[in-house]
Amino acid sequence: MRIALVGDRSPSVRAHVRIPLIIQALRERDGIALDPYWIPSTDAHDDALQRFDGIWIVPGSPYLSEEGVISAARTAREHGIPVLGTCGGFQHLLLEYARGVCGLDVAHAENDPGARDFLLLPLQCSLAGHEGLVRLAPGTLIEQIIGSPTTMEAYSCSYALNDAYKQQLVEHGLVFSGHADDGMARVAELPGHPFYLATLFQPELFGDGSRPHPVISAFAAAVSRRTARRAVAHAGRAE
């Protein structure tokens, strides 16, 4: 099961260092063997990513290519490929949705500080190195994954959704299913998609890396289901 890890790999990004440990833990604890390929943001083109069984847009913004990460998000959304976006991945899944589905001419303040309108703005107080409580909406994908109405999560970010655009995203089908105590969005998901989940927190930083966060286990399970469905469909065509 091949997954694309979209982002510019760096040993200075804690989440990137953790991911190989998490992949190993998924194999040993969940019995799911993922075959990860790091795809730099500059190489994240639609034709290449369609061949993967899952797409994980990993932390590490600003990415070298906003266009590449947006392309990865669009490919996952349009082709029904399970996608997980964490931290910067959360931000760019929302940015692609705002532009591609809602038709908004908006920017990320980190990538384009001279733009006119921003979907992602700097936080008044950076969350880098902090943990925070996330309240989960009942019946949503994230609430089912966590199995609890709240979760304490680790962050390493300084940008978040501009709340002025939240309702427009909701009106076009996106669900904000996790919020901080101040009401700011921390989790987004897309009903009807095989697996589309974006978290501003970093599940990669859960524990010591020897046990996958439930969000990552759920993503891996969705990749496994898609692979199984494709195998069945291929076998049917071969008969």
Side-chain angles (χ1 to χ4, degrees):
M1 295 178 288
R2 300 169 71 244
I3 64 166
L5 303 174
V6 177
D8 305 306
R9 191 175 188 180
S10 169
S12 65
V13 177
R14 285 182 63 206
H16 294 184
V17 175
R18 282 287 188 88
I19 286 173
L21 300 176
I22 295 167
I23 297 296
Q24 181 179 349
L26 283 167
R27 182 181 298 109
E28 294 174 352
R29 290 178 172 269
D30 295 0
I32 300 176
L34 298 181
D35 188 10
Y37 289 77
W38 282 89
I39 308 295
S41 62
T42 50
D43 296 338
H45 308 301
D46 178 77
D47 55 347
L49 291 176
Q50 284 189 49
R51 298 194 294 268
F52 286 92
D53 301 301
I55 297 173
W56 183 351
I57 304 178
V58 301
S61 61
Y63 303 104
L64 292 176
S65 172
E66 176 187 277
E67 180 183 358
V69 181
I70 293 295
S71 177
R74 182 176 61 251
T75 298
R77 177 177 58 80
E78 292 182 344
H79 295 279
I81 301 171
V83 60
L84 174 63
T86 54
C87 196
F90 168 95
Q91 297 161 14
H92 286 73
L93 279 174
L94 296 192
L95 189 59
E96 189 282 323
Y97 201 87
R99 292 173 178 174
V101 178
C102 305
L104 297 172
D105 182 14
V106 288
H108 191 314
E110 184 176 35
N111 303 339
D112 189 5
R116 184 182 62 183
D117 294 311
F118 298 105
L119 184 77
L120 289 310
L121 287 170
L123 289 161
Q124 290 184 340
C125 182
S126 172
L127 288 171
H130 291 270
E131 290 190 346
L133 188 72
V134 183
R135 300 190 181 278
L136 310 177
T140 57
L141 174 62
I142 187 65
E143 194 263 349
Q144 293 171 17
I145 290 170
I146 299 297
S148 170
T150 61
T151 180
M152 185 67 69
E153 300 293 346
Y155 294 87
S156 184
C157 68
S158 300
Y159 292 82
L161 175 67
N162 178 354
D163 209 48
Y165 286 107
K166 183 178 179 181
Q167 188 56 37
Q168 287 174 267
L169 296 174
V170 170
E171 289 172 357
H172 283 81
L174 204 63
V175 171
F176 290 96
S177 51
H179 296 83
D181 280 335
D182 62 3
M184 295 297 291
R186 296 290 185 260
V187 185
E189 55 191 69
L190 184 60
H193 190 281
F195 188 94
Y196 182 111
L197 190 64
T199 69
L200 189 61
F201 60 82
Q202 292 193 7
E204 299 89 348
L205 303 183
F206 173 68
D208 61 1
S210 63
R211 185 160 56 95
H213 188 287
V215 160
I216 298 174
S217 291
F219 167 67
V223 172
S224 180
R225 290 193 298 271
R226 183 174 192 268
T227 304
R229 287 196 300 269
R230 294 177 72 186
V232 169
H234 180 74
R237 288 193 298 267
E239 291 178 355

